[in-house]
Amino acid sequence: MAKTAIGHAQEGLEREAADGLRARLAAFAASVRERLAAAIEEENAFRRPALWLPVAAGAGAILSLTADKEPSLAGAAVALAIFAALAWTVRARRAVFAVAVMLAAVAAGFVAQGLRTWRVAAPVISRPMTTEITGFVEQVDLRRAGARFTLRLTSAQYLDTSSMPYRVRLTTNRAPDFEAGAHIALKARLMPPSRAALPGGYDFARDAYFMRIGGVGNALGRIEALEPPDPAPLALRLSAAVDRFRNALVQRVTERMPGDVGAIAAAMVAGKRDHLSREARELIREAGIFHIITIAGVQMTLVAGIFFVGLRRLLALSQTLALNYPIKKWAAFLAIFGAIAYDVFTGSRVGAERALVMTCIMLLAAVFDRPSVSMRNLALAVVFVVAVEPEALMGASFQLSFAAVAALVAVWEARLAAQARARTAPLGKVRPGRLGEVTAWLSESRWHGLGAVLFATICATSATASFMAADFHELSPYVLIGNPLTLMIIEFFAVPAALAGSLLYPLGLDAPVWLWLGLGIDIILAAARMLASLPASTVHLREFAPWALPFLSLAVLSMTIWRTNLFRLTALPFLAIGLYGATHGPRWDVAIQPTGETAAVRDPKGQLVTIGRFSGFTSEQWLRADADGREPAASRGGDCDKTGCVARLPDGGALALVSDYAGLAEDCARAKIVVTPLYA
């Protein structure tokens, strides 16, 4: 009986413990559901879910670009119509509506990319050829020796209208005696645009297709100026006039400041980077400040700000205007045209286009008395890029620019939220003790003074790190030093000098301006040399797994788009998967250039050896993807003769690269792998 009673008592205690555990789990689940519901309502109140629609549209455009074959534009349009109709039908059911809208956005990305491909479709030459061509010069990029120019063709020997490229890009080793807008005739060696050296690597052929460049090569012999059969289109004449002015300004800058100082100044002022030496490029890249030679968000915002403030002060000189008219709105509206002119003058690259769209939205917000800095403005800029130039989503310029701005906007929004909480916090609530003082100082320093600059730099650097590593296979640990310094130089030297120099150049009074800009560039180069000389100034990274960057991108998006901490925690699994993919990328022993003229083989020591026709760009791509910091020329090797090259594979076999039919039979007999551009 006693044992039975004890057993019943134990069973009762176990039931009570189980009931208590179930109750606690139920309470915990209810708390999680309550917090999740509150977080969802807060996100909806801030309208954050809508910011994922441009992301979905961008994902659709990227999926279209990376598909094995060109997706059907009609099929994408039908899918868009179906999902849009479904979203309208189920709009009262929030969850189903969200899924339908996201699918419609993905389909819209497919449609945008399909329309873009259809708009720019133009012939591309299929094989190397030497031919006589004529055409209008659209753009000339002067170099230290020779130039590179873009030609819109009007005729091509051996090619009829249906197979003639719309434009070609050519290089000449002599100083050109023509300018943009001229109609010229020449003999040229043309080749198809080069394809990616590695799967997932930079694909110039894709970029060339969307620029309607159907061939690249070299000008041969004399270039003759001709009278055009028909007048050049108005758009070409206008763009040529802008290019002539940019080149004249670049020549003026490089005359006043020879060497790499002038080359960097030319890139800052006019967006022309062809004068920069390889040594200077490597120096500023290793220092983590390569963005100083690109026209992007900082420059665009400063230019628009200078126009806005300057015009407002100018209008305020009239008491009648200042007291009776909205001169702030007038100045904002006129500053939009100034920003557009600056974008056109500097070449209108992707980063500058994003900055232009955001700047115009901010200025229009001032015109209509709306908040200017918000994540919605960035989302509208993404929509613009997806609609107009969706292939830019695959480029490093877009990825780095948008990630950095998203992080900075998220920091700005967090600052405003912190200030709002501070205004509504109960009085007298202080943190006691020394630890409380330190915590309070750290919390406040994020939003004020130098602490704010460093905190924003850390956030922007963290957001762009994955894209920098994936696109360039390297990181600079000292970017936290280089970025604030670069920002200061751009604010106080580059942008004011660009505006003042451009205005004073026609009057011949611009010389002091370039001295001022040169002083700032000297400071940058001195700092870059110091940073590049520090230990581990560049960390080389291997190629990522193909799925790593999408998950790292989702981690950045989750941290910047969501406003609640509960939803921001979703970045952690994305980050974990992305980092795993970043450290487990493919490792290959043989790489072959698409033309079959160059190959890379891993030697017994584990290093890559390149054989065949040397291509510095291709070799650099292979070495970077292998986390190898050597110069491309240092990787050349193999046993070569006039018929080809032979290199040893890691397993002891031989790889032969044959460039002449005379060696084809012999190498087929002795080599394990034969690579040749010939018809074998």
Side-chain angles (χ1 to χ4, degrees), residues 143-416:
R143 296 178 170 179
R144 294 188 177 185
R148 183 178 64 181
F149 60 97
T150 304
L151 195 68
R152 186 185 298 187
L153 296 186
T154 54
S155 69
Q157 189 182 22
Y158 311 128
L159 296 175
D160 56 23
T161 305
S162 61
S163 59
M164 182 178 69
Y166 182 78
R167 61 169 59 96
V168 295
R169 178 181 289 175
L170 301 172
T171 301
T172 176
N173 294 325
R174 294 181 293 182
D177 56 358
F178 56 86
E179 294 181 315
H183 188 254
I184 61 174
L186 69 154
K187 178 182 285 187
R189 174 68 174 172
L190 295 178
M191 295 175 291
S194 58
R195 290 175 286 169
L198 283 173
Y202 174 67
D203 190 352
F204 174 71
R206 181 184 62 215
D207 287 352
Y209 178 85
F210 289 106
M211 290 187 289
R212 307 190 77 181
I213 295 176
V216 296
N218 299 305
L220 306 176
R222 182 170 174 267
I223 300 176
E224 181 182 0
L226 297 178
E227 285 295 326
D230 297 303
L234 177 61
L236 190 150
R237 295 201 299 271
L238 293 176
S239 65
V242 172
D243 189 70
R244 290 195 296 270
F245 182 79
R246 292 173 67 196
N247 281 328
L249 190 61
V250 166
Q251 287 185 305
R252 172 68 169 172
V253 170
T254 53
E255 287 172 1
R256 302 298 301 181
M257 295 181 290
D260 286 323
V261 173
I264 293 175
M268 286 180 165
V269 172
K272 298 270 189 176
R273 297 185 291 185
D274 291 82
H275 281 272
L276 198 62
S277 68
R278 180 178 176 84
E279 292 76 15
R281 287 176 182 267
E282 291 299 315
L283 176 65
I284 61 178
R285 180 184 58 80
E286 290 177 0
I289 56 174
F290 194 80
H291 54 277
I292 67 171
I293 61 172
T294 60
I295 306 297
V298 175
Q299 293 92 321
M300 184 64 67
T301 304
L302 289 173
V303 166
I306 290 173
F307 276 116
F308 174 64
V309 174
L311 291 169
R312 190 179 182 186
R313 294 290 178 88
L314 184 63
L315 293 172
L317 294 176
S318 170
Q319 185 176 359
T320 303
L321 292 176
L323 296 178
N324 297 284
Y325 296 96
I327 61 172
K328 175 184 175 181
K329 297 182 179 181
W330 290 4
F333 186 74
L334 293 174
I336 292 175
F337 292 96
I340 293 174
Y342 179 72
D343 176 68
V344 172
F345 173 75
T346 54
S348 190
R349 297 179 182 272
V350 175
E353 289 177 356
R354 186 271 312 157
L356 176 64
V357 174
M358 286 199 67
T359 301
C360 290
I361 292 172
M362 291 171 60
L363 293 171
L364 287 174
V367 172
F368 294 103
D369 299 318
R370 303 287 294 178
S372 57
V373 179
S374 72
M375 200 67 74
R376 287 194 296 272
N377 293 354
L378 183 61
L380 290 174
V382 175
V383 170
F384 174 83
V385 173
V386 172
V388 176
E389 202 174 356
E391 72 278 2
L393 301 174
M394 300 288 289
S397 177
F398 173 90
Q399 295 165 3
L400 295 173
S401 176
F402 275 79
V405 174
L408 294 175
V409 173
V411 169
W412 176 258
E413 291 178 337
R415 178 183 182 182
L416 296 181

Side-chain angles (χ1 to χ4, degrees), residues 421-439:
R421 288 194 299 269
R423 288 193 298 268
T424 58
L427 296 177
K429 187 176 181 180
V430 296
R431 300 181 180 92
R434 180 68 62 184
L435 180 61
E437 294 176 5
V438 173
T439 304

Side-chain angles (χ1 to χ4, degrees), residues 476-502:
S476 174
Y478 306 111
V479 69
L480 296 180
I481 302 174
N483 271 342
L485 176 63
T486 303
L487 181 62
M488 180 190 72
I489 298 300
I490 290 174
E491 286 183 353
F492 291 101
F493 292 94
V495 172
L499 293 177
S502 300

